[in-house]
């Protein structure tokens, strides 16, 4: 058994009694109440999920296993010559809560390499789709097509005990995750580089190999590591994470669950916002012609978008009430690596103007930028100008957090999810009694 799997097994055995005790001794303790606004309004703020891999504070932003983003980047072992950590080390960390040693991170690197070969039929599935198919559709279909590989399905059929569900789920999740960089890069090169596919390099780590297969020089390997870690986990209430958890709760395997989560990520109010930010910004620049952007023209363009009933992509959040630290982290990367890049200057100008515009508009509860407002500019700088691909990058990252959660869902035996519905008439009845 690998070091990671042994560590995970130990953590699971330590954790299980905590969940059992909570259920046995404190099952009736209330953690909140549900209002009519929450029942109608997307369950916003209803506290009914348990996630141990990350916690999202509205003011501070995300913490992965108790650590802020800068703390994670600082603590995890780094690839030699790189500034960002091994994604594989992050997988160890998010699964166990322990910062791996260099050797432990490298063990996962080797483990993932051994699992990374993508079956040929997956490429056939992608290639069979019409050439104008969205990259997210290709990505989701590719993941789903591998469902036949599931170890969990086989073991379940053979009568696996519930206590052991986590074990083949862990195997499935490692197998799936290790293949995602190859699948993502394949979609990119097929769609946007005339099908000139670059074979994986068996010497490289998750992020390094992705950059290599994309055909982009250093430091794009670090961009990839940073992206995948930043986008990995954001508690379990967001659409993609919640979908993976929900679908997985029916004991659907991780291929079904992740594919479904990716479909949720493809919505414009969620992950697709990173594509829309760049579309909005490029359309705006095109309309300017040879004039320089100014704060005044940006303000005008933002109002035009709002007045036409559309949202400002990359701004607002269902939980956050301040600038997303994932935005700040990417901004810091730009300040260091591309401070004078014209598109970065435009993104900065939008940051200066948009919060005031949104506050004046008076609808959005959070006028500050989220992760998606900043991800496109870095990609554009390194030559990935095909913005319909950006959400696939988000998806590869999001797989890390959601799959780690799925392993823990199985380990802790969480049941099938089934909240209760009421009719509108019932809500009216409840309201009339207050
Ligand atoms: N531009 C314009 N209006 C906005 C807005 C924005 N960026 N953000 C919120 N609003 C509006 C909402 O549409 C809503 O309007 P209605 O009352 O007419 O329905 C009102 O403000 C209240 O919304 P809210 O409570 O502040 O926000 P929600 O929790 O309902 O939605 C989110 C959150 C992210 C979907 C929303 O802020 C939004 O649409 N943002 C733009 C799209 C985006 O960037 N999505 C990516 C989020 C991060 C991610 O998941 O990747």
């Amino acid at each position: 058994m690998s070091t990671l799997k042994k560590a995970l097994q130990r953590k699971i055995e330590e954790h299980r009694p905590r969940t059992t005790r909570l259920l046995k001794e404190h099952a009736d303790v209330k953690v909140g109440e549900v209002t009519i606004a929450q029942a109608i309004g997307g369950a916003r703020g209803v506290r009914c999920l348990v996630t141990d891999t990350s916690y999202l504070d509205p003011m501070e932003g995300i913490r992965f296993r108790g650590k802020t983003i800068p703390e994670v980047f600082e603590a995890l072992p780094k690839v030699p010559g790189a500034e960002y950590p091994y994604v594989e080390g992050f997988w160890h960390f998010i699964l166990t809560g322990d910062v791996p040693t260099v050797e432990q991170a490298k063990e996962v690197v080797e483990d993932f390499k051994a699992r990374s070969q993508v079956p040929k039929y997956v490429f056939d599935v992608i290639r069979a789709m019409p050439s104008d198919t969205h990259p997210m559709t290709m990505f989701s279909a590719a993941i789903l097509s591998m469902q036949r590989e599931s170890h969990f399905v086989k073991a379940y059929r053979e009568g696996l005990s519930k206590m052991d569900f986590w074990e083949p789920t862990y195997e499935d999740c490692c197998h799936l995750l290790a293949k995602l960089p190859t699948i993502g890069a394949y979609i990119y090169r097929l769609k946007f580089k005339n099908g000139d596919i670059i074979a994986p390099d068996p010497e490289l780590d998750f992020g390094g190999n992705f950059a290599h297969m994309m055909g982009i020089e250093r430091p794009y390997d670090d961009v990839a590591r940073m992206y995948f870690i930043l986008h990995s986990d954001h508690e379990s209430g967001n659409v993609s994470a919640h979908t993976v958890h929900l679908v997985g709760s029916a004991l659907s395997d991780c291929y079904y669950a992740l594919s479904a989560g990716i479909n949720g990520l493809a919505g414009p109010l969620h992950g697709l916002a990173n594509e829309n930010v760049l579309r909005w910004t490029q359309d705006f620049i095109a309309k300017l012609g040879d004039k320089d952007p100014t704060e005044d023209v940006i303000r005008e363009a933002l109002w035009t978008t709002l007045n036409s009933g559309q949202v400002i992509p990359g701004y607002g959040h269902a939980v956050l009430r301040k600038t997303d630290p994932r935005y700040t982290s990417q901004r810091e990367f730009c300040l260091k690596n591309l401070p004078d890049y014209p598109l970065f200057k435009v993104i900065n100008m939008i940051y200066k103007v948009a919060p005031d515009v949104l506050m004046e508009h008076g609808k959005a509860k959070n006028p500050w930028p989220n992760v998606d407002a900043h991800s496109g500019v870095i990609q554009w700088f390194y030559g990935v100008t095909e913005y319909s691909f950006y959400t696939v990058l988000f998806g590869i990252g999001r797989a890390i957090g959601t799959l780690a959660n799925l392993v823990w869902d199985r380990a802790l035996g969480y049941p099938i999810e089934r909240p209760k519905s009421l009719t509108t008439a019932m809500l009216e009845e409840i309201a009339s009694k207050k």
Side-chain angles (χ1 to χ4, degrees):
M1 200 189 271
S2 72
T3 309
L4 170 55
K5 200 166 169 183
K6 259 190 246 153
L8 181 60
Q9 186 172 34
R10 201 182 62 245
K11 293 279 169 179
I12 289 169
E13 280 160 14
E14 282 166 13
H15 195 114
R16 276 177 173 158
R18 295 170 63 194
T19 306
T20 311
R21 198 174 314 119
L22 282 168
L23 277 174
K24 223 171 152 182
E25 296 171 20
H26 307 288
D28 294 334
V29 176
K30 283 197 176 149
V31 291
E33 287 182 71
V34 181
T35 64
I36 286 182
Q38 289 170 317
I40 294 177
R44 200 73 79 256
V46 176
R47 299 197 286 176
C48 62
L49 288 167
V50 187
T51 314
D52 291 305
T53 51
S54 64
Y55 181 75
L56 179 60
D57 180 86
M59 300 312 290
E60 188 195 46
I62 192 70
R63 275 182 184 255
F64 301 118
R65 290 282 187 185
K67 289 194 189 303
T68 63
I69 291 166
E71 286 167 358
V72 166
F73 285 153
E74 180 65 32
L76 291 180
K78 303 211 173 38
V79 179
E83 301 210 353
Y84 287 85
Y86 286 104
V87 172
E88 294 89 335
F90 183 78
W91 174 240
H92 183 119
F93 172 65
I94 201 93
L95 270 173
T96 63
D98 292 341
V99 172
T101 62
V102 179
E103 287 67 35
Q104 287 170 340
K106 282 188 178 165
E107 197 183 316
V108 185
V109 172
E110 292 311 312
D111 183 49
F112 273 23
K113 279 180 191 169
R115 300 174 191 261
S116 65
Q117 190 164 9
V118 177
K120 183 184 162 295
Y121 65 80
V122 177
F123 302 128
D124 294 342
V125 167
I126 298 170
R127 268 199 311 270
M129 301 178 105
S131 62
D132 63 351
T133 304
H134 194 279
M136 283 297 273
T137 314
M138 291 179 162
F139 190 51
S140 172
I143 292 167
L144 189 59
S145 74
M146 289 187 286
Q147 189 277 329
R148 62 192 286 284
E149 310 286 337
S150 173
H151 290 73
F152 174 78
V153 168
K154 257 182 244 137
Y156 187 79
R157 264 193 224 129
E158 285 161 12
L160 185 71
S161 149
K162 189 172 176 182
M163 292 298 278
D164 298 326
F165 281 0
W166 72 271
E167 201 268 330
T169 302
Y170 167 83
E171 294 298 329
D172 278 353
C173 290
C174 292
H175 274 299
L176 175 53
L177 197 52
K179 294 173 177 60
L180 296 183
T182 306
I183 294 172
Y186 184 91
I187 291 169
Y188 180 72
R189 303 280 314 177
L190 178 75
K191 256 189 95 79
F192 305 117
K193 300 291 167 194
N194 298 317
D196 179 13
I197 306 300
I198 301 173
D201 180 341
E203 295 303 311
L204 297 172
D205 66 292
F206 196 96
N209 212 359
F210 179 73
H212 161 76
M213 291 182 284
M214 289 287 286
I216 309 174
E217 300 286 309
R218 277 186 156 183
Y220 192 72
D221 54 337
D222 261 340
V223 171
R225 295 181 192 105
M226 173 180 74
Y227 261 52
F228 297 150
I229 293 174
L230 281 184
H231 289 87
S232 61
D233 210 23
H234 222 221
E235 296 187 345
S236 286
N238 65 78
V239 168
S240 51
H242 190 202
T243 305
V244 175
H245 170 76
L246 173 67
V247 174
S249 83
L251 296 187
S252 302
D253 58 64
C254 74
Y255 299 91
Y256 280 127
L258 183 64
S259 172
I262 292 298
N263 298 343
L265 192 68
L269 297 187
H270 192 15
L272 203 79
N274 61 10
E275 167 179 336
N276 289 341
V277 167
L278 253 284
R279 177 176 291 114
W280 188 95
T281 313
Q282 291 299 341
D283 285 354
F284 162 74
I285 291 170
K287 275 186 208 139
L288 276 182
D290 48 14
K291 279 190 238 132
D292 280 338
T294 62
E295 288 179 20
D296 281 345
V297 284
I298 287 177
R299 193 173 295 111
E300 206 182 302
L302 292 169
W303 274 114
T304 305
T305 300
L306 289 172
N307 290 336
S308 67
Q310 291 172 292
V311 297
I312 309 289
Y315 281 75
H317 200 272
V319 177
L320 280 166
R321 292 295 175 260
K322 60 156 256 188
T323 298
D324 189 337
R326 300 171 300 174
Y327 177 95
T328 311
S329 198
Q330 295 178 87
R331 181 178 149 78
E332 279 160 10
F333 179 94
C334 290
L335 286 169
K336 191 168 172 203
N337 294 286
L338 43 132
D340 301 320
Y341 188 47
L343 188 57
F344 175 48
K345 289 188 172 164
V346 176
I347 295 293
N348 270 334
M349 270 192 206
I350 298 174
Y351 185 28
K352 256 181 134 176
V353 175
D356 282 345
V357 170
L358 280 167
M359 277 192 256
E360 200 183 325
H361 183 243
K363 271 191 171 184
K365 293 190 188 67
N366 175 38
W368 303 104
N370 60 59
V371 65
D372 299 313
H374 220 307
S375 42
V377 60
I378 303 179
Q379 296 301 324
W380 196 279
F381 181 78
Y382 290 104
V384 186
T385 54
E386 303 85 356
Y387 37 71
S388 66
F389 184 69
Y390 295 170
T391 317
V392 173
L393 298 166
F394 194 154
I396 297 173
R398 186 46 53 97
I400 302 169
T402 55
L403 293 179
N405 268 298
L406 197 63
V407 175
W408 274 98
D409 289 349
R410 293 285 174 274
L412 300 178
Y414 288 155
I416 187 163
E417 196 173 296
R418 198 348 178 154
K420 183 75 192 81
S421 290
L422 298 168
T423 64
T424 303
M426 287 171 184
L427 291 183
E428 286 163 346
E429 170 79 16
I430 293 167
S432 71
K433 286 183 187 151
K434 288 276 165 179

